[in-house]
Amino acid sequence: MSKVQSKQRIRIQVNGEWRSTEVEGDETLLDLLRNKLNLKGPKEGCGTGDCGACTIILDGKIVPSCLVYAATTDGSRITTIEGIGSAEKLHPLQQAFIQAGAVQCGFCIPGIIIAAKNLLDSNPSPTRTEVREALVGNICRCTGYVRIIEAVMMAAETMRSGRSGA
Amino acid sequence: MVGVAREEYSIVGKPYAREDALDKVLGKPIFTADMIPKDAIFAAVVRSTRPHAKILRLNLQAALSTPGVIRFIDGHQVPGINNIGTLIRDKPLFCQDIVRCMGDPIGAILAENRGAAREGARQVEVEYEDLPAIFSPLEALDPKSVRVHPNGNICRHLKIRKGDVERGFQESDVIVENEYTTQMQEHAQLEPETAFALPPDQNGIITTVGPWQDTHDVQDAVALVMGRKSSEVRALQAQTGGAFGSRCNEIANELAALVCLSACITGKPTAVIMSREESMISHSKRHPFYMKYKTGAKRDGTLVAEEIQLVSDTGAYASAGPAVVMRAIVHCTGPYVVPNVKADSYGVYTNNPYAGSFRGFGCPQVHFAAESQMNYLAESLSMDPIALRRKNLLRPGSQTNTGHVLGKSVGLEECLSKVVDALGSMVIPPPEKRSARGIGVALGYHGNSLGPEGGDRCGAMLSIDANGHVEYMTGLAEYGTGARFAHGQIIAETLGISMNRIHALLPDSLRAPYSGPTVASRSTIMGGNAVLVASKKLRNVLSQEAARIFDCKPEEVDFRNDTVYCEKRSKNMKFDELAALCHKRGISLSDSSMYEAPKCEWNEETGLGVAYIDYTFEAVGTVVDVNLQTGYPQVVRIIGAYDCGKAINPLGVVGQVEGAIVQGLGYSVMEEICTKNGRILNPNLADYFIYTSAETPQIDTILVEGYPSISGPFGAKAMGEPPIDIVAPAVAQAIYNATGVRVKDLPAVPEKILLSKSNPD
Amino acid sequence: MIPLRHEIFVPRTEIELFNFLDSHGADSKLVSGATDLIPRIRRRQEEAITLVDISRLDSLRYVKREQGVIRVGALTTLADLIGSKTLGIEYEAIKKLELSFGSPPIRNIATVGGNLAASSSSEDLIPIFLTLDARVSLKSARSERVIPLGEFTRGKRETSRASNEILAEVSFSELKPDSWCTFEKTGRRERVIISLVSLACTLTLDRRSGRVDDVKIALNRVRGKIPERALETEKALLGSDLNESKLKEACEILESELSLTSDFRASAKYRTEVAKNLLRESLTHCKHCIEEA
């Protein structure tokens, strides 16, 4: 029988790498990622699932990591912004966000890129409306979303044409 | 200040991507909470739960026995002055005798981790004796009302007395009188406040890192609290997740002082991370305004007289209130020629949460009233609202309501024309069956930089290394606005080098020359002028050396494309070669320069004079579909035209316009901090509604560049704030045209529209 | 005493879960999609020592049709429910949740059971399932009982679930032919809203006469603090042809049935006005959709 414990050990795959880590009781996935696994990309903007800054991909779906208990993620696959692209080879979304002027303060960006990537993974030709709907859970207070939607559309086109983005 | 004499600029005016976008899209750990030292202890503030009360005693027993708690600190541990007020020193760091609003800090718990600190803070028992409290700003005008501070509730009172309004009203054919109110708006910057400090190093310097809007202010505030010299405090700005004014008010000083105090007392690095709720309860807000307007005009629409009373509720502490009172009165008539003006602008204290800096700074409030008045007037005169505006708007050579005769840099009419044309030619799908559609237009203006607040100067530091790479730093904070990178473009333009040679440094209060606060949309124009001065100086130094090498005169040396030329001698060399040579010869390629803005001659007694050297003018048009079953106003389209002087980086400017517009839309129809007896009822993002990607309409931005500013670099005008100023009146006018309902109290929520429509009075 | 931290138990099978609940059900709290719970815990409002997070029980995640009954497992996420091919277009109310219920990340973790068990006026599924005459299945180690949804939700945050039971499934008879189920929700913005008024309407028309054969209407609030059916309004509409005067009469009866309160979000007057408008709109819309189909 699974134990009720203050501490539990879980195994999770984070950005492609399996890791074993201890979690405490009601520790959220966000706190686990930031504080124990040192992944600072997902942010705490509200802690109540209202802002989207903590959005990550859990077993193929975007979730607010501040509302997921880490203890429930044993065996799961997680992707954070750190698992998307690199300075040497940016993901087309990252390239598009830079070029389209979609980045201002940057605090919402990890969550938004995650949500956008998740959209494009299942819907490579979204309409503008579909992009808006996909990003409804990600608040941006700086940009007004216009350039962000533009960037996602640009990235979708780049990905469809097979270019990796310069 | 027009920069290098060149018809076409090669870098200024081009849409470069921001340098720091790369780190941000990769999710690098660049924000304050990402960089907290592993051995840091945590602080959590104990805040008042009463709006106005005496603190009788504290019971710390439960708090101190909470596991992980180290100790409690309050005013008794403050070595210097227990105060962090900005414009007026009226706000204690830790209240010792009296709390004046909910959320007022009383002390702080220090603990091993964040959870223990928060729990410890919650366990502190405070015994209060409630005092009579005042929540109505209009009541606060009465000298006999309950006093928030000993000297009475009027924090500031400014006037405009121009001409003779009594005679003006007698000469008017039509007079329109109305009262308007606007609500408390919350910044909701995405990064909640956070800070950390390191204990004094071997030189006795305390370092604090945070998302500051003004590192020098923070440095000075901490020094005052700690009883030390400013030079013993080093404030570093980390990448900052939005601000819009919240971070240049008292909360920044409060948290910086708190962590520095703790670091000194405990000898341990100390951090504080606020939750969203605490953030919303404890930082400043936009001033709610009560506004009473009486406007008189001739039958042909010519404005004759305006009598205006503005009352802004600055809450328990002044914060930026005195400056908001000033900016509000300067702009109170809207951008029109009004010969007779009697205006009074009061900032009053109440026991409500305190109000301070918020993008727009009084302009959104007064423009809502002034533009709504124009619409009422148009109706009374049976005149087209656009024609009425054309009749009265400010033009080159016009005199403003403060008697300032404007020069050539007035692009308002062109902005209006462009918006009207765009509205006329736009193609949008028809409204849904259950909705009615309306269009609204508004005009506005926004004085650039600090104006009558004075002391407007900014320094910049520039350094070219032996590889011809340039590093630069100002004290200006940049929290997404892009201004820091506009500075880079100005440097690149002046030195004739490419953008990839330029690197911006984040502000370090010990190294950056004084730059003033990152407010009033002054970063591009003040910081831009500062880096322009500095880069011109270095260009001169380089020219001297190149002249020596080329055997020509310094003025015959030209810089472009990373190359230094002398046409006369048909000689050239690479920029980096020249830089290397300078270094070899011991010629300094570093400069620290100060730019001082022209002084504004404005008389506080009469309210007359030159309040601001330059104004940014603007026009906006909006299309709103109102759902007739629910009253919900859906903004479908918005078009803005901005007399921006020169867009140093058009991509950055348009990004700022769009962001400001969307904040303005929230202000118009959905954002509202609701309070009851001084308590915020919705301190969270589930009940405080800001625009999501679904509500954002199509936004079209037209940059009008034919009217260069008198003083801005390359003719640039301030653009960070103006676009938020006039959204609300345009939306209100559109709602009126759709439904016949006039909303005079923001926000224009569905309830106000639906109930007024079913019960017009 | 409200604990500072909570312990967590993540059962992998129903047997593990029921064994735990038999002994510890009284001091523990079931969680499936902590969208409501975690904000409460942050406000230190949760008394349970142990959280029992059942979100990994895949056996309770399904949407299926069996002998004329639609069965929805309690751990079906909102996203799964909305996307389910088992529900046809006539279950428009469910499809519309994509526009009115939270945001995509929230819909990926919020569950049907969690929504129903929260038993409050902000839970969109309750009015919708009330109009579908849904029943809930309460399961424990040794038994299973099925009760109407209206008997399950007793009051605000109060349900009929015993501490050793879980809400395992919600089920309802398939919509008869010539039926349509719709949902309207209004708030201060378009998406991600706390409902000011929400209204579910399931209508069945008689094919030959075009009159109302059956109608069920539920709102987020009628008289109390939880969603309820508007029974008087339903009665008045039965057998009618939904002409203009009937609609007007129904709105008036609804107004008399409603006893709403004002709060800082909206006044009772506004909520009542909107409820009437949404009633009219949803009836007209359902009728139109049935006739078009």
Side-chain angles (χ1 to χ4, degrees):
Chain A
M1 173 174 143
S2 295
K3 308 277 185 301
V4 178
Q5 290 170 303
S6 303
K7 290 194 200 319
Q8 303 182 40
R9 188 152 275 277
I10 61 169
R11 269 191 88 240
I12 48 175
Q13 188 201 67
V14 185
N15 298 328
E17 198 187 310
W18 282 99
R19 306 181 65 161
S20 167
T21 180
E22 208 172 58
V23 305
E24 290 185 44
D26 59 357
E27 185 171 358
T28 63
L29 181 57
L30 177 65
D31 283 342
L32 175 69
L33 291 169
R34 285 186 62 84
N35 301 338
K36 291 205 173 118
L37 302 183
N38 212 36
L39 294 162
K40 306 294 186 185
K43 308 285 183 216
E44 181 185 311
C46 72
T48 52
D50 297 312
C51 75
C54 69
T55 310
I56 54 112
I57 300 176
L58 176 67
D59 294 325
K61 300 195 161 102
I62 51 170
V63 299
S65 60
C66 71
L67 294 183
V68 173
Y69 285 121
T72 67
T73 63
D74 188 26
S76 288
R77 289 169 161 72
I78 290 161
T79 305
T80 71
I81 186 73
E82 287 91 343
I84 298 183
S86 65
E88 298 75 38
K89 190 169 179 348
L90 292 173
H91 186 280
L93 275 168
Q94 289 162 319
Q95 186 62 48
F97 269 64
I98 294 174
Q99 280 175 290
V103 179
Q104 289 190 26
C105 85
F107 202 77
C108 71
I109 292 297
I112 290 207
I113 290 184
I114 285 276
K117 176 183 188 301
N118 193 250
L119 168 72
L120 296 182
D121 283 349
S122 62
N123 181 355
S125 303
T127 62
R128 271 201 158 70
T129 301
E130 284 169 331
V131 173
R132 285 166 181 277
E133 294 293 342
L135 296 180
V136 143
N138 294 85
I139 299 288
C140 172
R141 195 55 161 158
C142 295
T143 66
Y145 308 99
V146 180
R147 298 216 152 257
I148 287 176
I149 295 165
E150 213 46 60
V152 177
M153 298 297 285
M154 264 170 65
E157 205 199 302
T158 302
M159 287 162 75
R160 282 194 303 269
S161 68
R163 298 197 304 271
S164 62
Chain B
M1 275 283 173
V2 290
V4 290
R6 205 193 285 271
E7 199 61 23
E8 180 74 26
Y9 301 120
S10 26
I11 302 207
V12 161
K14 303 285 191 300
Y16 282 92
R18 3 174 354 131
E19 185 191 357
D20 62 0
L22 181 65
D23 278 353
K24 291 173 178 178
V25 299
L26 289 171
K28 294 272 188 238
I30 52 180
F31 296 90
T32 305
D34 303 337
M35 304 189 296
I36 293 173
K38 283 240 178 284
D39 57 340
I41 64 172
F42 276 79
V45 180
V46 177
R47 297 188 181 279
S48 167
T49 55
R50 298 287 208 277
H52 197 198
K54 281 197 203 146
I55 301 171
L56 295 179
R57 81 197 96 243
L58 304 177
N59 185 345
L60 301 174
Q61 208 177 356
L64 294 177
S65 46
T66 302
V69 167
I70 298 168
R71 64 169 296 167
F72 173 76
I73 58 174
D74 66 5
H76 293 107
Q77 278 73 47
V78 170
I81 311 276
N82 182 13
N83 206 294
I84 38 103
T86 52
L87 294 182
I88 296 181
R89 204 169 279 169
D90 65 358
K91 192 175 197 302
L93 169 62
F94 296 126
C95 298
Q96 297 194 264
D97 311 306
I98 295 189
V99 290
R100 294 185 172 86
C101 62
M102 299 236 186
D104 226 350
I106 292 170
I109 288 285
L110 309 180
E112 287 164 11
N113 58 61
R114 189 180 171 203
R118 289 179 66 180
E119 181 59 16
R122 202 194 305 262
Q123 296 289 347
V124 170
E125 287 164 28
V126 183
E127 207 180 309
Y128 301 96
E129 180 190 307
D130 282 321
L131 297 169
I134 180 163
F135 303 113
S136 155
L138 291 182
E139 259 178 54
L141 286 172
D142 184 344
K144 296 196 293 292
S145 58
V146 167
R147 289 188 170 212
V148 180
H149 293 275
N151 291 339
N153 290 338
I154 309 251
C155 173
R156 195 174 196 191
H157 171 213
L158 290 176
K159 315 191 273 281
I160 294 180
R161 299 287 185 263
K162 181 177 175 220
D164 181 347
V165 288
E166 288 314 319
R167 206 184 61 206
F169 287 129
Q170 277 160 23
E171 288 170 7
S172 302
D173 297 318
V174 160
I175 293 177
V176 167
E177 290 186 68
N178 282 296
E179 292 170 28
Y180 304 92
T181 65
T182 62
Q183 79 283 36
M184 211 182 277
Q185 186 181 20
E186 153 67 33
H187 306 78
Q189 80 285 349
L190 208 58
E191 180 196 13
E193 286 81 353
T194 187
F196 68 87
L198 306 176
D201 64 13
Q202 70 266 31
N203 297 318
I205 296 182
I206 310 165
T207 300
T208 176
V209 177
W212 320 125
Q213 256 178 278
D214 187 347
T215 54
H216 289 110
D217 234 23
V218 166
Q219 172 185 274
D220 292 343
V222 172
L224 188 77
V225 165
M226 300 301 297
R228 293 178 183 233
K229 295 200 293 262
S230 284
S231 53
E232 290 174 296
V233 179
R234 184 177 193 191
L236 300 174
Q237 188 212 357
Q239 286 288 5
T240 298
F244 322 112
S246 60
R247 305 193 201 270
C248 67
N249 292 159
E250 282 70 11
I251 195 66
N253 298 344
E254 177 186 310
L255 296 185
L258 164 61
V259 292
C260 286
L261 184 59
S262 169
C264 286
I265 291 174
T266 63
K268 294 209 156 75
T270 306
V272 63
I273 303 178
M274 295 230 278
S275 68
R276 175 61 58 182
E277 303 92 286
E278 192 183 356
S279 168
M280 289 176 77
I281 287 169
S282 63
H283 75 220
S284 60
K285 300 283 174 281
R286 183 185 296 288
H287 285 75
F289 267 58
Y290 161 83
M291 299 172 281
K292 191 164 173 188
Y293 275 62
K294 180 175 175 184
T295 308
K298 291 242 184 279
R299 186 144 311 284
D300 70 354
T302 310
L303 291 170
V304 182
E306 289 221 57
E307 187 172 336
I308 294 170
Q309 188 195 49
L310 309 172
V311 182
S312 50
D313 181 357
T314 203
Y317 298 102
S319 189
V324 172
V325 166
M326 168 156 37
R327 186 174 278 275
I329 204 173
V330 170
H331 296 82
C332 67
T333 57
Y336 303 106
V337 179
V338 189
N340 303 291
V341 180
K342 180 183 179 213
D344 287 276
S345 179
Y346 298 90
V348 298
Y349 288 113
T350 63
N351 295 111
N352 288 319
Y354 72 102
S357 313
F358 195 148
R359 197 177 200 169
F361 212 78
C363 281
Q365 296 95 318
V366 299
H367 277 92
F368 175 63
E371 283 297 275
S372 296
Q373 280 295 90
M374 291 299 273
N375 294 328
Y376 269 106
L377 198 58
E379 195 168 47
S380 295
L381 293 169
S382 300
M383 194 172 171
D384 169 37
I386 308 273
L388 177 64
R389 285 171 167 83
R390 266 199 219 285
K391 194 143 188 80
N392 293 285
L393 54 78
L394 292 169
R395 294 180 166 81
S398 293
Q399 192 190 87
T400 71
N401 58 353
T402 68
H404 172 186
V405 176
L406 296 170
K408 290 192 290 197
S409 176
V410 184
L412 183 56
E413 188 159 20
E414 186 172 336
C415 288
L416 174 59
S417 299
K418 290 223 148 68
V419 164
V420 170
D421 287 346
L423 285 172
S425 60
M426 75 180 167
V427 175
I428 41 175
E432 278 180 36
K433 254 193 332 192
R434 29 177 160 173
S435 297
R437 173 169 290 173
I439 294 183
V441 170
L443 301 183
Y445 65 149
H446 196 103
N448 287 193
S449 202
L450 301 177
E453 292 176 50
D456 203 359
R457 61 190 201 285
C458 183
M461 214 177 74
L462 219 62
S463 189
I464 307 175
D465 72 10
N467 283 319
H469 285 131
V470 182
E471 275 189 349
Y472 65 101
M473 182 194 292
T474 72
L476 293 168
E478 213 284 341
Y479 40 84
T481 60
R484 185 175 295 140
F485 308 102
H487 300 162
Q489 284 178 251
I490 290 172
I491 296 168
E493 182 74 47
T494 308
L495 296 176
I497 55 179
S498 49
M499 284 297 286
N500 59 17
R501 287 185 175 280
I502 313 259
H503 176 56
L505 298 173
L506 286 157
D508 170 348
S509 67
L510 287 188
R511 293 182 59 203
Y514 177 78
S515 305
T518 310
V519 300
S521 312
R522 63 193 287 275
S523 299
T524 298
I525 55 185
M526 294 298 291
N529 273 330
V531 300
L532 187 56
V533 170
S535 42
K536 278 174 132 192
K537 278 202 202 154
L538 289 182
R539 185 186 152 116
N540 285 340
V541 169
L542 289 162
S543 300
Q544 303 276 357
E545 183 62 7
R548 188 189 66 81
I549 295 167
F550 294 155
D551 184 32
C552 67
K553 300 205 198 85
E555 50 270 30
E556 291 163 340
V557 175
D558 203 8
F559 293 76
R560 61 180 186 279
N561 299 327
D562 294 306
T563 310
V564 187
Y565 298 86
C566 177
E567 299 290 356
K568 195 164 164 192
R569 297 270 183 262
S570 299
K571 287 195 180 150
N572 63 70
M573 69 191 300
K574 290 264 148 231
F575 183 85
D576 51 359
E577 280 180 69
L578 179 57
L581 272 165
C582 286
H583 274 272
K584 261 226 165 70
R585 298 221 321 139
I587 297 169
S588 166
L589 292 182
S590 291
D591 181 71
S592 183
S593 286
M594 184 71 67
Y595 170 76
E596 190 148 350
K599 286 214 180 355
C600 295
E601 301 294 339
W602 186 70
N603 183 323
E604 255 190 52
E605 271 310 304
T606 56
L608 300 179
V610 175
Y612 297 91
I613 302 293
D614 273 301
Y615 289 88
T616 302
F617 294 90
E618 51 181 342
V620 81
T622 183
V623 180
V624 179
D625 288 351
V626 179
N627 181 319
L628 296 171
Q629 294 170 357
T630 62
Y632 177 78
Q634 182 195 17
V635 179
V636 170
R637 191 76 170 260
I638 188 159
I639 299 168
Y642 305 93
D643 161 39
C644 65
K646 175 77 187 165
I648 305 286
N649 183 328
L651 190 61
V653 172
V654 171
Q656 282 290 285
V657 170
E658 291 164 351
I661 283 180
V662 173
Q663 286 183 356
L665 288 172
Y667 182 64
S668 307
V669 300
M670 62 178 71
E671 292 187 40
E672 183 177 15
I673 287 286
C674 301
T675 61
K676 188 177 174 170
N677 296 334
R679 173 191 303 280
I680 296 179
L681 301 173
N682 54 341
N684 56 69
L685 295 178
D687 253 321
Y688 182 84
F689 297 96
I690 60 185
Y691 262 56
T692 70
S693 57
E695 287 88 26
T696 292
Q698 178 175 333
I699 302 178
D700 296 304
T701 304
I702 303 166
L703 297 181
V704 172
E705 283 186 322
Y707 310 84
S709 106
I710 297 165
S711 54
F714 298 87
K717 293 192 184 184
M719 278 297 288
E721 287 170 284
I724 201 178
D725 293 341
I726 55 176
V727 177
V731 170
Q733 179 68 349
I735 289 170
Y736 171 69
N737 283 327
T739 62
V741 171
R742 284 222 187 266
V743 176
K744 299 204 287 189
D745 305 293
L746 289 182
V749 293
E751 169 159 352
K752 287 177 190 165
I753 299 169
L754 187 73
L755 292 185
S756 297
K757 188 154 169 43
S758 15
N759 299 307
D761 40 49
Chain C
M1 212 324 268
I2 296 181
L4 172 56
R5 298 294 299 266
H6 302 267
E7 293 179 345
I8 194 161
F9 170 51
V10 184
R12 287 297 195 151
T13 66
E14 288 183 45
I15 294 177
E16 271 186 15
L17 168 62
F18 291 127
N19 286 342
F20 182 83
L21 288 179
D22 265 347
S23 40
H24 301 291
D27 341 286
S28 61
K29 174 108 186 168
L30 285 173
V31 184
S32 58
T35 60
D36 188 47
L37 178 71
I38 285 185
R40 282 170 49 78
I41 286 182
R42 285 176 70 96
R43 292 192 295 266
R44 303 282 275 108
Q45 289 173 329
E46 186 46 61
E47 291 175 346
I49 313 279
T50 306
L51 307 173
V52 184
D53 195 311
I54 55 175
S55 51
R56 299 303 290 258
L57 287 181
D58 292 327
S59 58
L60 292 177
R61 187 169 284 125
Y62 54 82
V63 182
K64 53 192 179 193
R65 178 190 286 111
E66 273 172 9
Q67 293 160 332
V69 175
I70 308 276
R71 298 187 181 286
V72 180
L75 293 180
T76 306
T77 64
L78 263 292
D80 291 340
L81 180 67
I82 292 164
S84 164
K85 304 260 189 301
T86 308
L87 300 171
I89 56 166
E90 62 276 15
Y91 295 93
E92 186 188 43
I94 304 282
K95 305 298 180 199
K96 278 182 102 171
L97 289 172
E98 189 164 26
L99 302 177
S100 67
F101 187 108
S103 63
I106 295 286
R107 292 196 290 274
N108 283 334
I109 62 170
T111 62
V112 171
N115 203 256
L116 298 179
S119 189
S120 82
S121 59
S122 19
E123 309 309 327
D124 293 345
L125 287 183
I126 301 178
I128 295 174
F129 282 134
L130 281 174
T131 66
L132 292 170
D133 229 353
R135 302 170 290 283
V136 298
S137 156
L138 296 168
K139 217 165 154 186
S140 67
R142 276 164 286 284
S143 66
E144 184 164 355
R145 59 191 180 109
V146 180
I147 59 173
L149 175 59
E151 279 174 35
F152 173 69
T153 52
R154 300 248 296 271
K156 186 162 173 164
R157 294 190 189 284
E158 205 194 304
T159 70
S160 308
R161 180 186 73 87
S163 64
N164 67 339
E165 288 179 317
I166 62 161
L167 191 170
E169 178 188 270
V170 60
S171 59
F172 49 91
S173 303
E174 271 191 282
L175 283 177
K176 292 182 284 222
D178 303 310
S179 298
W180 199 268
C181 170
T182 195
F183 180 66
E184 295 278 338
K185 177 176 174 181
T186 186
R188 212 182 254 207
R189 68 182 169 196
E190 292 197 53
R191 298 279 182 274
V192 203
I193 48 179
I194 292 177
S195 176
L196 296 178
V197 180
S198 55
L199 185 149
C201 173
T202 297
L203 182 70
T204 306
L205 296 180
D206 179 285
R207 175 169 300 190
R208 276 164 308 161
S209 66
R211 289 177 173 270
V212 175
D213 195 39
D214 192 11
V215 65
K216 295 194 178 56
I217 295 160
L219 292 96
N220 61 323
R221 284 203 190 179
V222 174
R223 257 173 299 273
K225 296 209 174 234
I226 60 169
E228 289 175 81
R229 296 250 300 270
L231 295 169
E232 298 302 318
T233 311
E234 291 175 4
K235 236 187 287 179
L237 286 165
L238 277 175
S240 80
D241 64 0
L242 293 179
N243 61 46
E244 175 54 38
S245 79
K246 199 69 196 177
L247 286 175
K248 190 156 181 284
E249 185 197 322
C251 288
E252 281 162 19
I253 294 180
L254 181 65
E255 181 162 9
S256 68
E257 251 196 298
L258 291 175
S259 175
L260 302 176
T261 49
S262 303
D263 62 23
F264 76 92
R265 295 188 184 107
S267 68
K269 186 158 184 235
Y270 173 72
R271 292 175 202 253
T272 308
E273 271 310 299
V274 173
K276 284 154 56 181
N277 291 339
L278 295 186
L279 174 69
R280 177 189 282 272
E281 171 68 25
S282 53
L283 286 167
T284 316
H285 177 72
C286 281
K287 177 167 188 251
H288 175 79
C289 291
I290 294 169
E291 284 164 359
E292 288 290 296

